[in-house]
């Protein structure tokens, strides 16, 4: 196995420093299939960085015990928005731009456009790209893959090996075309978007769950040798779409105090939480489930405004 660490883009910052987009490439047999992991497009989402570390550790350990286990190539791009990560910001600092609305980018554009163009140049042609997100600081998500319906035929069978709990196929109304996933899928390179955990945190149980899925995908694609032993896939995904997902939005502003646990079955009418005010003893509003189903998104940050999303439930 050959290991290479290099940078795909180096940009001069105004005062001395440079911003580099770094990657690590583990290469087995030449010309084998290629699996790429991308994370940190949003600077406040850290879960994917830990998945990259765990996958690197698994490869190094497995190649020591069983040389030749890696047949193809695994590339890690843990931090596509390094200045955002360094400064705890979701968007690209200074430009105040969502990097994941800047694809496919332009090599002669502003910094976010250049990063997007460099990422496209290197990722196009991979056999599979996983773009790992960690929600935001407001909502906690159970591990899930999100797919644009346009690409569902090709991507859903892949997502079924990803060891996630939900596969959410989005209709055309909610599709965002300037994302890395849409740009790659449009260019013929399959890309799965993973959402899990919560912003600014790492949830080891979720990263370990996804790691098992990534290894199964790698073996299925021929990136890992067919006889490499892996932990069993333990999660069977529920399929969600625009017809079976309920959104719970706050009726009033205040503090949301949940009354249920994440990823549990809930019944129609069940109390999910309360909205209270620090100025009143009595509660302002009760949050009740509109349906039977499973709570797969739950508000993490307690301060809510009228209309804030508090939970999402998928009907079974
Ligand atoms: Zn994100």
């Amino acid at each position: 196995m050959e290991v290479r660490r290099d940078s795909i883009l180096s940009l001069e910052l105004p005062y001395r420093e440079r911003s580099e987009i770094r990657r690590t490439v583990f290469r087995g047999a030449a010309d084998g299939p290629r699996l790429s992991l991308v994370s940190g497009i949003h600077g406040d989402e850290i879960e994917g960085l830990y998945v990259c570390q765990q996958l690197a550790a698994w490869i190094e350990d497995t190649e020591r015990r069983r040389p030749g286990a890696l047949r193809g190539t695994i590339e890690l791009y843990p931090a596509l928005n390094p200045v955002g990560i360094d400064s705890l910001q979701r968007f690209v600092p200074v430009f105040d731009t969502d990097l994941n609305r800047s694809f496919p980018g332009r090599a002669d554009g502003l910094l976010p456009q250049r990063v997007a163009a460099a990422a496209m140049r290197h990722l196009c042609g991979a056999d599979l790209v996983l773009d790992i997100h960690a929600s935001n600081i407001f909502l906690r998500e159970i591990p899930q893959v999100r797919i644009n319906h346009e690409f569902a035929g090709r991507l859903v069978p892949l997502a079924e090996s990803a060891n996630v709990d939900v596969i959410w196929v989005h209709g055309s109304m909610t599709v965002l075309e300037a994302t890395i996933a849409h740009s790659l899928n449009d260019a013929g390179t399959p890309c799965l978007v993973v959402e899990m955990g919560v912003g600014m945190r790492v949830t080891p149980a979720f990263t370990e769950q996804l790691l098992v899925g990534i290894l199964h995908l790698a073996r299925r694609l021929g990136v890992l040798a067919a006889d490499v032993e892996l932990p069993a896939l333990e999660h069977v995904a529920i399929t969600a779409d625009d017809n079976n997902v309920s959104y719970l939005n706050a009726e009033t502003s205040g503090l949301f105090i949940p009354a249920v646990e994440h990823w549990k079955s809930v019944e129609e009418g069940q109390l999910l939480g309360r909205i209270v005010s620090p100025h009143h003893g009595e509660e302002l509003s009760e949050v009740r489930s509109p349906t039977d189903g499973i709570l797969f998104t739950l508000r993490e940050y307690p301060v809510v405004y009228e209309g804030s999303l508090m939970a999402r439930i998928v009907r079974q």
Side-chain angles (χ1 to χ4, degrees):
M1 180 180 71
E2 178 200 335
V3 184
R4 197 171 75 235
R5 292 185 177 81
D6 58 8
S7 82
I8 63 163
L9 184 68
S10 177
L11 292 165
E12 195 162 3
L13 295 176
Y15 182 71
R16 288 191 179 174
E17 305 290 335
R18 297 190 74 82
S19 173
E20 297 203 346
I21 311 292
R22 294 196 197 146
R23 69 169 176 179
T24 303
V25 180
F26 298 93
R27 193 157 184 223
D31 298 328
R34 177 158 65 108
L35 172 67
S36 304
L37 252 64
V38 172
S39 69
I41 283 190
H42 292 134
D44 60 348
E45 300 180 19
I46 312 301
E47 309 264 12
L49 279 69
Y50 189 47
V51 175
C52 287
Q53 187 279 331
Q54 289 191 304
L55 180 55
W58 186 92
I59 295 167
E60 287 163 7
D61 181 55
T62 304
E63 272 287 328
R64 253 193 309 274
R65 287 185 290 106
R66 187 207 178 294
L70 182 67
R71 300 182 60 85
T73 299
I74 294 181
E75 297 177 325
L76 308 177
Y77 299 80
L80 233 49
N81 178 9
V83 186
I85 292 169
D86 285 343
S87 56
L88 297 178
Q89 290 183 57
R90 183 172 184 80
F91 290 171
V92 180
V94 183
F95 300 91
D96 203 27
T97 297
D98 186 340
L99 183 55
N100 207 26
R101 302 288 180 273
S102 304
F103 283 82
R106 284 173 50 145
D108 61 351
L110 292 171
L111 187 145
Q113 298 275 322
R114 288 180 188 222
V115 171
M120 286 298 289
R121 202 165 58 244
H122 286 84
L123 292 167
C124 275
D127 293 271
L128 179 62
V129 177
L130 269 87
D131 173 29
I132 304 172
H133 289 257
S135 186
N136 52 42
I137 62 166
F138 303 104
L139 300 168
R140 178 176 288 277
E141 299 282 356
I142 217 72
Q144 58 199 264
V145 170
R146 295 189 184 168
I147 293 172
N148 171 353
H149 74 109
E150 201 182 321
F151 308 114
R154 187 175 190 189
L155 298 184
V156 169
L158 289 165
E160 284 169 347
S161 295
N163 209 35
V164 295
D165 296 302
V166 178
I167 297 172
W168 190 353
V169 179
H170 285 285
S172 48
M173 289 298 286
T174 47
V175 169
L176 298 161
E177 294 197 342
T179 63
I180 187 170
H182 195 279
S183 298
L184 284 169
N185 284 311
D186 214 27
T189 296
C191 177
L192 294 176
V193 178
V194 177
E195 280 281 2
M196 65 176 193
V198 65
M200 294 193 182
R201 296 288 181 270
V202 165
T203 313
F206 289 173
T207 60
E208 284 159 20
Q209 177 181 337
L210 181 64
L211 179 67
V212 172
I214 293 169
L215 295 174
H216 276 266
L217 282 165
R219 191 173 65 182
R220 188 173 148 185
L221 292 167
V223 175
L224 294 177
D227 59 351
V228 168
E229 281 187 32
L230 300 177
L233 291 172
E234 288 183 335
H235 296 255
V236 179
I238 297 172
T239 304
D241 57 37
D242 293 346
N243 299 314
N244 67 353
V245 173
S246 301
Y247 296 70
L248 274 94
N249 298 89
E251 286 175 356
T252 175
S253 301
L255 299 176
F256 173 65
I257 309 297
V260 286
E261 278 182 60
H262 201 192
W263 196 235
K264 284 278 153 58
S265 292
V266 293
E267 292 171 2
E268 185 177 342
Q270 186 178 338
L271 183 70
L272 302 182
R274 299 169 295 124
I275 298 177
V276 298
S277 157
H279 298 294
H280 303 279
E282 78 272 27
E283 63 192 35
L284 303 178
S285 142
E286 281 186 338
V287 182
R288 292 188 177 273
S289 178
T291 176
D292 294 348
I294 294 182
L295 187 71
F296 72 99
T297 304
L298 183 62
R299 184 94 187 167
E300 176 85 6
Y301 190 75
V303 176
V304 294
Y305 294 87
E306 260 186 71
S308 292
L309 186 62
M310 296 175 295
R312 279 188 284 239
I313 295 167
V314 57
R315 280 193 303 282
Q316 278 189 290

